[in-house]
Amino acid sequence: IYVGVTSKTPEERFKEHATPGLPRAARGLPEHGICLLRTLMYPYIKVPGRQRLWYETATHLALSMCTARISGDIRNDYLNWLPDFQPKLMHRLETDDYRFQAF
């Protein structure tokens, strides 16, 4: 699963990443890209620029709790802001049931 932020609509960015030969085509996505995970995008909102990497990191961390392989940018300083930004996620990452591994 690729987690990313963009100023374009999810459909536009997915098409760019999944179309072979385009400059923004992602390695492996043209062969393996299936669809957008709309349940993670609803309701689609514009995220303030200063928080876009917070949302991307939080989504990345949440998805890392499942068995899927996750790629995309992640802010390494999430311990400084995540407890206030996403307290339930931070609590889940700290539980004994889930051993979070630093990226």
Side-chain angles (χ1 to χ4, degrees):
I1 299 173
Y2 171 75
V3 178
V5 294
T6 180
S7 61
K8 298 183 178 185
T9 67
E11 292 79 13
E12 288 174 306
R13 181 58 83 207
F14 183 77
K15 185 177 179 181
E16 283 183 349
H17 284 324
T19 305
L22 288 181
R24 306 252 344 150
R27 187 181 75 220
L29 190 60
E31 298 87 29
H32 304 291
I34 297 170
C35 64
L36 293 168
L37 294 174
R38 296 199 182 284
T39 56
L40 298 176
M41 297 183 282
Y42 183 83
Y44 178 70
I45 59 168
K46 279 214 163 247
V47 174
R50 68 185 188 287
Q51 290 184 328
R52 66 179 177 230
L53 284 178
W54 288 15
Y55 279 91
E56 182 176 356
T57 299
T59 303
H60 191 124
L61 292 170
L63 289 171
S64 71
M65 289 187 272
C66 68
T67 58
R69 188 172 139 209
I70 312 299
S71 64
D73 293 333
I74 187 167
R75 288 188 55 138
N76 291 327
D77 66 343
Y78 67 89
L79 291 175
N80 296 331
W81 53 265
L82 190 59
D84 294 328
F85 180 67
Q86 294 284 331
K88 289 181 183 178
L89 174 59
M90 192 67 212
H91 176 72
R92 179 71 177 111
L93 291 171
E94 293 174 338
T95 64
D96 291 338
D97 297 330
Y98 177 71
R99 305 277 183 217
F100 181 70
Q101 298 174 359
F103 293 92

